[in-house]
């Protein structure tokens, strides 16, 4: 589904990613771990098309075509979803209106008819239950005054509503209490397991904590260090990291 | 500047859809202002002597005044001798008696603007008075309103048919001594709308006036006078457009509202005069004096305005809270794009006891637009228990626009409760990225955020006009697909 080859990315002249390679197949869950500042959010943002980052070399293929030449919203409509590490507040715009506008924009892109308010609301409420969110949050301004955990859950709700092909979750687990973590994991698993063979979904989980991986079993774990992936393995790699930290990799990388 | 910010800049550059000119034979006076011009205007309108005397007094007073310079707006001096003070479509010089007398070109103009004047084709429940250049060309639903005793007609007709009401109230809220433009208006105004709602009457439909400037080099000076007697109610809407011209055109209107005991007046404006082009060439100078007098106890006046047009807007719809327990409200959205300038706000003058005023102002600046809120809340020495709440929010789009807030407060009674809040915000790159990442186009993202910013005000408009106002904001800002 996603193929990243030798990706080099700069921000304001500083190279953050240098030669990153990653391949994600349909139906797979990949966890990416790495120390602060190693470039995890940079990777996530570049895949989503954030314009502060310059790709200086390398290529990214999404379902066989060149992702880098698509605009931010085209990428979203093609099925890339990024749950932000720091979700943004939009005062004055209600959550439900934001979700409806987003969904209908994507439907329009795919030449589907737009959902009307009633149909949309019915369907939305089933999704709200899946993430255990208070319904009243739908009628508040997007993320405004939401607690940290509510913001993260709201990201998952958006993912469930928009049903992307590739979901990139940037530290969606940080700041969640134990119960919220389970609910978020439940939401992600529900999303993951709607796997009609034609419509398999993939997930990239950026996380610092092995704990999340108890609830969402990854197929692969990667260690990102100094802008590239220095080690890949199965779930056991996360346990090893939890035990020993990144010290041994730092030696290897330098 | 980031690419997202550049998208935003490109995005805010809409086209003006009402910029066409109607070709029409007109009856105009030559440009310039003198006593003789004023006598001619008065004679053309066959006015009673008191009107002529009032105009002449206003003119003589105007001659003694200097152009005000205290506002934030900048423009080259206006040569008042280059302006045509009276221009009427020829066929209408003697005043149309019915819609059938209105020239087809004018009817077509209003259809193009989306304001069909044929009663059958109208939005149910809205009566329209259409003012074309200097004269009122058609008032609809007159008979139906007359059935309940509501008078709704052109100002000229009111002068002919109800001179006693005109004489009693004209200039009682905005005297010609009020300011430079009010004096000019009093001297030369040629028409406008008049509305009188008798005691105990709830006006059965929305009333509205559409103003259109058509002729070149013509100033539009109209006057609106609304009188609502005890226990009565009216809701009034005013809309404005003008053709695209390279020259600036002057619009100096006066609106006077009078609410007696327990009366309520809602006055809404959707102002979309031609704003000038992207370089700031052309456009209307909109210098307007609007004031309401809550004369009776428990009376209420609310101003709602959506200002997207004009090269320069200079207006402060105000309320004098004279009656005890009276209420004044001001809800405003002002948008400036390209080189537009707006200096707008309100004045709430608390005189009676237990009076309450609310001010909510939303300013949006884009391009090189400049937007100033100027408000005065004054509480007089007998105005015990006066309350005011003011909120002024500014939203900036792009890096070259500006917003300013000038709240003035004068309190002469210790029991007054005055609250003021102000915020300035921007549409950030991160907000835009977030919306785009969810598949929303840049245009939809910006208009969604702006509508969110304005929704408290749009809610105050009658339903049909809220939709119109929302569409207007989109037109005023559109221009690129991001
Ligand atoms: N807008 C920016 N301007 C300047 N430097 C930036 C910017 N964004 C990221 N960086 C730098 O790029 C590097 C990688 O940042 P990134 O956010 O990708 O790290 P991360 O792996 O997600 O870290 P964390 O675990 O703390 O979230 C950091 O050194 C950061 O300071
Ligand atoms: Mg990060």
């Amino acid at each position: 589904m996603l193929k990243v080859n030798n990706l080099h990315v700069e921000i304001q002249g500083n190279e953050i990613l240098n030669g990153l390679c990653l391949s994600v197949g349909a139906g797979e869950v990949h966890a990416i771990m790495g120390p602060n500042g190693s470039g995890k959010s940079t990777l996530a943002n570049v895949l989503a098309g954030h314009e502060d980052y310059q790709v200086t070399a390398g290529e990214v293929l999404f379902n066989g075509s060149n992702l880098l030449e698509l605009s931010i919203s085209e990428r979203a409509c093609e099925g890339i979803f990024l749950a932000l590490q720091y979700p943004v507040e939009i005062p004055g715009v209600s959550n439900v209106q934001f979700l409806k506008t987003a969904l209908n924009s994507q439907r329009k892109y795919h030449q589907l008819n737009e959902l009307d308010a009633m149909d949309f609301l019915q369907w939305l409420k089933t999704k709200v239950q899946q993430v255990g969110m208070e319904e009243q949050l739908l009628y508040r301004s997007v993320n405004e005054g939401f607690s940290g955990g509510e913001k993260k859950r709201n990201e998952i709700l958006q993912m469930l509503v928009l049903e992307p092909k590739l979901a990139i979750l940037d530290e969606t687990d940080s700041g969640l209490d134990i119960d919220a973590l389970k609910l978020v994991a439940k939401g992600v698993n529900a999303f993951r397991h709607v796997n009609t063979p034609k419509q398999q979904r993939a997930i990239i989980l950026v996380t610092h904590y092995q704990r999340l991986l108890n609830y969402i079993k990854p197929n692969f774990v990667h260690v990102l260090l100094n802008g590239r992936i220095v080690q890949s393995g199965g779930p056991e790699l996360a346990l090893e990291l939890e035990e020993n930290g990144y010290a041994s990799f730092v030696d290897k990388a330098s | 500047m980031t690419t997202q910010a550049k998208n935003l800049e490109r995005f805010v550059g809409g086209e003006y859809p009402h910029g066409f000119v109607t070709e029409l034979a007109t009856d105009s006076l030559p440009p310039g202002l003198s006593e003789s011009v004023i006598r001619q205007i008065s004679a053309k309108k066959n006015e009673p002597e008191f009107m002529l005397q009032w105009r002449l007094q206003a003119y003589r007073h105007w001659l003694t005044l200097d152009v005000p310079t205290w506002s934030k707006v900048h423009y080259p001096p206006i040569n008042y001798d280059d302006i045509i003070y009276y221009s009427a479509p020829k066929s209408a010089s003697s005043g149309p008696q019915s819609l059938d007398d209105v020239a087809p070109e004018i009817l077509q103009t209003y259809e193009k603007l989306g304001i069909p004047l044929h009663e059958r084709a109208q939005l149910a429940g809205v009566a329209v008075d259409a003012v074309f250049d200097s004269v009122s060309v058609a008032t609809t639903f007159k008979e139906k309103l007359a059935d309940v005793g509501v008078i709704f007609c052109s100002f000229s007709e009111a002068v002919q048919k109800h001179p006693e009401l005109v004489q009693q109230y004209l200039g009682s809220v905005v005297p010609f001594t009020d300011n430079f433009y009010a004096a000019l208006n009093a001297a030369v105004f040629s028409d406008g709308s008049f509305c009188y709602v008798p005691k105990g009457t709830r006006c059965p439909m929305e009333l509205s006036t559409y103003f259109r400037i058509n002729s070149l080099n013509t100033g539009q000076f109209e006057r609106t006078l609304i009188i609502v007697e005890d226990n009565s109610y009216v809701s009034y809407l005013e809309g404005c457009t003008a053709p695209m011209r390279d020259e600036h055109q002057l619009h100096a209107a006066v609106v006077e509202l009078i609410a007696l005991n327990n009366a309520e007046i809602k006055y809404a404006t959707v102002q979309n005069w031609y704003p000038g082009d992207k370089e700031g060439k052309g456009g209307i100078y909109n210098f307007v004096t609007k004031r309401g007098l809550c004369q009776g106890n428990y009376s209420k006046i609310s101003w709602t305005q959506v200002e997207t047009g004009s090269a320069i807007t200079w207006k402060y719809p105000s309320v004098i809270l004279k009656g005890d327990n009276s209420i004044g409200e001001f809800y405003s959205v002002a948008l400036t794009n390209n080189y537009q300038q707006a200096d707008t706000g309100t004045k709430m003058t608390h005189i009676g006891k237990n009076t309450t005023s609310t001010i909510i102002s939303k300013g949006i600046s884009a391009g090189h637009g400049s937007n100033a809120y100027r408000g005065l809340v004054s509480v007089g020495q007998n105005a015990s228990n006066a309350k005011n709440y003011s909120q002024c929010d500014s939203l900036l789009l792009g890096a070259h626009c500006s917003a300013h807030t000038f709240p003035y407060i004068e309190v002469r009674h210790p029991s007054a409760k005055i609250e003021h809040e102000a915020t300035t915000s921007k549409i950030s790159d991160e907000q835009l990225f977030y919306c785009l990442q969810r598949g929303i186009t840049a245009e939809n993202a910006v208009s969604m955020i702006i509508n969110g910013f304005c929704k408290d005000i749009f809610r105050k408009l009658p339903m049909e006009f809220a939709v119109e106002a929302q569409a207007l904001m989109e037109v005023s800002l559109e221009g690129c697909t991001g």
Side-chain angles (χ1 to χ4, degrees), chain A residues 11-12 16 34-42 52-53 85 171 208:
Chain A
I11 181 157
Q12 290 163 351
I16 311 289
N36 294 136
S38 57
K40 304 180 296 297
S41 295
T42 301
D52 285 356
Y53 302 85
Q85 182 172 0
E171 297 198 27
H208 285 296

Side-chain angles (χ1 to χ4, degrees), chain A residues 146-203:
Chain A
F146 285 27
S147 76
E150 285 168 345
K151 285 182 181 170
K152 297 299 176 86
R153 254 187 275 184
N154 202 22
E155 295 291 285
I156 298 302
L157 174 67
Q158 293 177 13
M159 176 186 80
L160 294 176
V161 167
L162 297 174
E163 302 183 315
K165 299 194 177 93
L166 172 65
I168 305 161
L169 310 183
D170 191 358
E171 297 198 27
T172 303
D173 56 331
S174 11
L176 291 179
D177 66 43
I178 310 278
D179 296 333
L181 182 71
K182 285 183 189 163
L183 279 166
V184 162
K186 200 177 114 204
V188 173
N189 285 324
F191 168 77
R192 174 186 187 183
H193 290 127
V194 186
N195 272 349
T196 56
K198 262 197 86 176
Q199 227 206 346
Q200 291 208 55
R201 293 164 180 172
I203 299 172

Side-chain angles (χ1 to χ4, degrees), chain B residues 351-418:
Chain B
I351 298 171
K353 297 181 176 43
N354 309 319
T355 51
T356 306
S357 63
T358 304
I359 299 170
I360 299 183
S361 157
K362 306 271 179 178
I364 301 160
S365 318
H368 291 80
S370 141
N371 213 320
Y373 166 81
R374 188 183 302 276
L376 169 65
V377 176
S378 89
V379 175
Q381 44 196 340
N382 299 316
S384 52
N385 300 316
K387 282 199 212 85
N388 163 267
Y389 173 74
S390 304
Q391 182 187 333
C392 305
D393 298 324
S394 310
L395 182 67
L396 301 175
L397 281 72
H400 307 295
C401 52
S402 61
H404 314 268
T405 305
F406 305 99
Y408 303 96
I409 298 172
E410 295 168 8
V411 177
R412 290 202 197 81
H413 197 287
S415 63
K417 288 202 181 71
I418 311 281

Side-chain angles (χ1 to χ4, degrees), chain B residues 255-274:
Chain B
V255 177
E256 297 179 278
L257 311 181
I258 296 129
L260 302 182
N261 286 323
N262 202 29
E264 178 172 358
I265 303 176
K266 279 190 187 162
Y267 194 106
T269 304
V270 175
Q271 186 265 107
N272 187 26
W273 295 117
Y274 177 53

Side-chain angles (χ1 to χ4, degrees), chain A residues 50-51 72-73 76 80-82 84 88-89 92-93 102 105-106 143 155 158, chain B residues 2-4 7 430-431 433-440 444 448-449 452 455:
Chain A
H50 198 298
E51 289 164 333
I72 306 170
S73 54
I80 291 200
F81 178 90
L82 170 60
L84 297 185
V88 179
E89 300 188 356
V93 177
S105 303
Q106 296 206 11
N143 292 324
E155 295 291 285
Q158 293 177 13
Chain B
T2 64
T3 319
Q4 276 140 18
N7 280 341
E430 291 312 314
Q431 284 173 327
F433 172 71
Y434 194 53
C435 294
L436 295 174
Q437 209 301 305
R438 298 308 185 239
I440 300 171
N444 286 343
M448 181 175 73
I449 293 171
K455 78 180 167 209

